């Protein structure tokens, strides 16, 4: 009989309608987790939910932008109502809105900070009280139960990337958030870690001309992607393993920090980037 490492755990994943978030949900569910799926786009979120249900997994959805001020409470409450717990939180939702600094507007800078920094902060703040309550009860019962937070960063944050002063600042901010929370929540037995992706094949790294990726920020539609020439240069010159990663390979990196084998690892950042180092 196969032992599933996350049997019965309750996992919350943002931005899970597509790309890496969807792959994370499928991986955690395949290991037995019950998952609360968020995305701002309802159709894709439901597709992820249907895929999990088709594989006999348990899911609930919490649709909407993670940047709504009340989103954190709503997300955590969905997990408590649907499954009665909060064991794993993956802060994955995000998009890019690039410009060189002299062309970057305040709106552009702030929108990227909102989705990658303020939203994870609010979600984790909303989870603090239930986590403290569960941990207290488990300690009284003499049980040590580990919970997991995985924040998503980027090589753009760790190393900088021209055209992404907003995104790289935001992705380094979540590293600081990770390290502080690892210190605040150690006493609740929460492992707080960070996965910085290199270049993963999703719509975020599609050729920008294809125009596949778009998110709504207020009334605006923001299109994103990368220049085709850059993709070729990346694969041939910058990624030691010689190609971009798949969403499944990215999700495996997140899973490492959700599995019981990482129970004594906290406050760390790993790069899942095909060998890119800093
Ligand atoms: N793809 C890469 O190469 C790469 C590299 C480094 C880091 N990342 C990070 O990985 C994460 C996932 O990116 P991806 O490549 O899968 O992108 P993606 O565009 O394929 O998927 C992102 C998902 O997040 C959702 N989303 C965006 N803004 C949201 C919001 N405000 N509220 C709720 N949902 C929202 C989108 O609708 C989409 O379904 C992001 O945090 C991204 O910054 C990706």
């Amino acid at each position: 009989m196969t032992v599933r490492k996350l049997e019965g755990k309750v996992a919350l994943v943002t931005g899970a309608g597509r790309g890496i978030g969807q792959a994370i949900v499928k991986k955690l569910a395949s290991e037995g987790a019950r998952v609360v799926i968020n995305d701002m786009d309802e159709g894709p979120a439901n597709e992820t939910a249907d895929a999990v249900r088709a594989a006999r997994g348990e899911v609930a959805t919490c649709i909407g932008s993670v940047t709504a001020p009340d989103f954190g409470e709503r997300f955590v409450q969905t997990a408590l109502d649907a499954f009665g717990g909060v064991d794993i939180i993956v802060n994955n939702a995000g998009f890019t809105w690039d410009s060189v600094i002299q062309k970057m507007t305040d709106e552009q800078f702030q929108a990227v900070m909102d989705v990658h920094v303020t939203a994870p902060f609010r979600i984790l703040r909303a989870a603090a009280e239930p986590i403290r309550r569960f941990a207290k009860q488990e300690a009284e019962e003499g049980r040590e139960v580990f919970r997991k937070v995985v924040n998503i960063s980027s090589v753009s944050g760790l190393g900088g990337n021209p055209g992404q002063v907003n995104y790289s600042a935001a992705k380094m901010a979540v590293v600081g958030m990770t390290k502080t929370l690892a210190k605040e929540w150690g006493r609740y037995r929460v492992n707080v870690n960070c996965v910085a992706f290199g270049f993963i094949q999703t719509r975020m790294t599609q050729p920008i001309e294809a125009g596949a990726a778009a998110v709504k920020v207020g009334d605006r539609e923001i299109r994103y992607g990368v220049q085709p020439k850059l993709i070729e240069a990346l694969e041939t010159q910058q990624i030691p393993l010689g190609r971009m990663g798949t969403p499944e390979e990215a999700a495996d990196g997140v899973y490492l920090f959700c599995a019981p084998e990482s129970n004594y690892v906290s406050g760390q950042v790993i790069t899942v980037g095909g060998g890119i180092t800093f």
Side-chain angles (χ1 to χ4, degrees), residues 1 33 40 55 60 62 73 82 95 103 180 187 189 191 199 218 231 236 252 258 265 267:
M1 203 184 84
M40 69 196 301
C62 184
E73 268 81 22
F95 58 89
K103 292 189 180 159
T180 290
R187 62 192 175 134
R189 299 294 179 266
N191 305 129
F199 298 91
I231 297 175
T236 54
D252 285 344
C258 298
V265 181

Side-chain angles (χ1 to χ4, degrees), residues 199-202 239 243-250:
F199 298 91
I200 309 297
Q201 281 169 334
T202 66
I239 305 173
R243 62 164 173 82
M244 289 206 269
T246 64
E248 290 72 28
E249 287 168 329

